[in-house]
Amino acid sequence: MDKMIKKILVIRFRQLGDAVLSAALCSTLKRSFPGAEVHIVLNEGLAPLFAGHPDIDKVVTFSTYENNNTFEYMRKVWSVVRQGKYDVIIDQRATVRTLLFSFLSLFSTRRPLRVGRGKWYSRLLFTQNVPLVGGDMLQKNHAFATALSALAPIKRADGFNLYISDGELLTMRDYMQSRGIDLSRPVIMVGVTTKLLHKRWNMEYMREVLERLLARYRNVQLIFNYAPGREEQDAVELFKRLGSPSAVKIGVEARSLRSLMALCACCSFYFGNEGGARHIAQAVGVPSYAIFSPVADKTVWLPRTSVPAYGIGCDYNSPLTGDYNALFDAITPNVVCEELFPLLDGLLGKPETKNRNKQQSAVNVKSHSFL
């Protein structure tokens, strides 16, 4: 029956981190139905993530205009469903807007299997309702593929991967060297701030941890990851409060998603606030340690793969539960350093031996972790 499945559409709008994690579902589908095309629906700005991805045959994009104009959105959905002639539609969100794909497919020449999150208002529309499952986001995403197990054995992908060409890596390495980065020394990408202020860890805490990190690992170089605007202001202010150290390369920028992927891959480690950049780091094989805000459950958003990924979240059993700021501030610099530094000792070498054996591969993403 798996040979009957020729085209699969995965609907995954939302933000950067959600899109990166959806790569696992697409890889699982491609392995389970090797003869099928796998298409994914994304917001237009996220499409570069999957350029050259071997498990995704087509990225269907929606522009900001199409998303914000009801008539244009409905017309685009109908066009995608009618022209795509899909055998399976997987709706990872099951919102009123995404349900339109399944609804309009009922009027197409081919009625596909419709797999989606089983919510009270959507259960009658889907042919396969996926229950809310526990575990991390990989387990949640794989549950959509499991719903098709009657058609073929489901061969689950172990992780979520993004792919970068050797040319992109070499171009990024040249750029980093032009900005004063010594690629024979370890480089840590630091997520010093966040798009949403309520997800940003205490900036004074961040300053203290970075000061201690720079004092402990004198051979390390830091790159601050930030977007233009308020995030850039946060980064520059923190750089000044650190005393503008030469080890912090404030002028290294990734001006596109592809360049951010390449920059992550050329780093030895990611540390900082949880977000899309950390997901990208894990997807290109770079170890990480992240700080999770009270609205981001570490057990959900820190999936375990073959790439080392660690982090610290809020203690929801704490007496402080209910006081957002107090709960977030309970993640102190001491607590973070107690977990972070042993990891860096293992990756970079203990302070007294950290200058040994630190050469990076020119293009091999999997070799960027100075083990």
Side-chain angles (χ1 to χ4, degrees):
M1 292 184 67
D2 62 313
K3 295 180 180 179
M4 298 171 57
I5 305 300
K6 299 298 183 183
K7 298 179 77 173
I8 303 172
L9 181 67
V10 176
I11 304 167
R12 173 77 281 180
F13 284 110
R14 297 284 292 174
Q15 302 302 320
L16 178 58
D18 304 274
V20 173
L21 290 169
S22 69
L25 172 59
C26 294
S27 294
T28 292
L29 292 170
K30 180 62 79 171
R31 286 160 174 72
S32 304
F33 302 94
E37 292 184 21
V38 177
H39 299 184
I40 187 170
V41 175
L42 294 173
N43 290 323
E44 188 174 52
L46 299 178
L49 282 172
F50 298 123
H53 199 293
D55 297 326
I56 297 174
D57 299 285
K58 183 178 180 179
V59 177
V60 179
T61 63
F62 277 67
S63 67
T64 301
Y65 173 71
E66 289 167 333
N67 278 323
N68 293 336
N69 184 298
T70 301
F71 175 75
E72 290 299 327
Y73 178 80
M74 294 178 65
R75 185 167 69 173
K76 179 67 173 282
V77 172
W78 172 242
S79 175
V80 170
V81 170
R82 179 173 57 85
Q83 295 179 16
K85 297 180 180 179
Y86 295 103
D87 300 295
V88 179
I89 293 178
I90 297 178
D91 186 347
Q92 290 189 272
R93 298 190 62 204
T95 66
V96 173
R97 287 172 58 81
T98 62
L99 287 175
L100 192 61
F101 286 87
S102 292
F103 176 72
L104 291 180
S105 73
L106 297 175
F107 303 96
S108 65
T109 56
R110 178 176 306 191
R111 290 193 176 185
L113 294 174
R114 301 176 301 281
V115 180
R117 185 71 69 199
K119 299 180 179 179
W120 66 268
Y121 54 82
S122 63
R123 297 187 64 85
L124 294 179
L125 188 57
F126 295 135
T127 55
Q128 295 288 335
N129 285 278
V130 177
L132 292 172
V133 297
D136 60 35
M137 283 304 297
L138 288 191
Q139 293 169 307
K140 294 177 184 294
N141 286 343
H142 283 310
F144 293 97
T146 302
L148 300 173
S149 60
L151 302 180
I154 301 303
K155 301 175 182 177
R156 176 173 171 169
D158 293 330
F160 52 99
N161 298 317
L162 297 178
Y163 294 84
I164 312 162
S165 69
D166 288 355
E168 288 174 300
L169 286 170
L170 290 171
T171 297
M172 176 54 66
R173 287 171 62 83
D174 288 342
Y175 167 70
M176 293 170 70
Q177 289 177 314
S178 74
R179 303 302 296 177
I181 298 289
D182 181 352
L183 293 176
S184 69
R185 295 162 50 195
V187 182
I188 297 178
M189 176 179 285
V190 184
V192 295
T193 187
T194 57
K195 178 180 177 180
L196 301 175
L197 280 173
H198 70 277
K199 292 186 176 182
R200 185 185 69 183
W201 192 42
N202 187 307
M203 291 293 283
E204 184 61 22
Y205 286 2
M206 180 67 74
R207 180 198 61 77
E208 182 177 338
V209 170
L210 294 182
E211 279 187 345
R212 293 166 64 175
L213 188 154
L214 290 171
R216 182 180 178 89
Y217 306 99
R218 296 187 179 276
N219 198 38
V220 79
Q221 302 160 99
L222 305 184
I223 295 175
F224 285 178
N225 177 61
Y226 54 83
R230 194 265 307 159
E231 289 185 43
E232 182 174 4
Q233 294 174 1
D234 284 351
V236 171
E237 180 182 352
L238 180 58
F239 176 66
K240 293 177 179 178
R241 287 164 61 189
L242 285 169
S244 304
S246 60
V248 178
K249 309 301 181 181
I250 192 68
V252 180
E253 299 178 350
R255 298 185 177 274
S256 69
L257 271 182
R258 297 299 301 179
S259 61
L260 177 59
M261 290 165 59
L263 181 59
C264 282
C266 289
C267 290
S268 320
F269 194 81
Y270 175 93
F271 164 70
N273 289 280
E274 166 66 2
R278 193 217 65 80
H279 287 98
I280 288 177
Q282 188 174 359
V284 297
V286 174
S288 61
Y289 182 92
I291 301 162
F292 291 76
S293 72
V295 295
D297 188 345
K298 187 184 82 168
T299 62
V300 173
W301 292 102
L302 189 64
R304 295 298 183 184
T305 69
S306 60
V307 180
Y310 304 93
I312 186 168
C314 296
D315 182 0
Y316 293 99
N317 295 317
S318 167
L320 299 172
T321 301
D323 187 331
Y324 188 96
N325 292 329
L327 195 60
F328 208 176
D329 285 344
I331 302 176
T332 64
N334 283 339
V335 172
V336 170
C337 289
E338 286 174 2
E339 294 186 358
L340 175 64
F341 289 168
L343 294 174
L344 292 180
D345 287 349
L347 291 168
L348 308 178
K350 292 184 178 180
E352 63 271 16
T353 60
K354 65 179 179 302
N355 291 326
R356 303 174 188 172
N357 303 321
K358 297 275 194 298
Q359 296 300 316
Q360 263 186 311
S361 164
V363 295
N364 187 351
V365 172
K366 297 302 180 183
S367 69
H368 291 300
S369 60
F370 292 96
L371 292 173

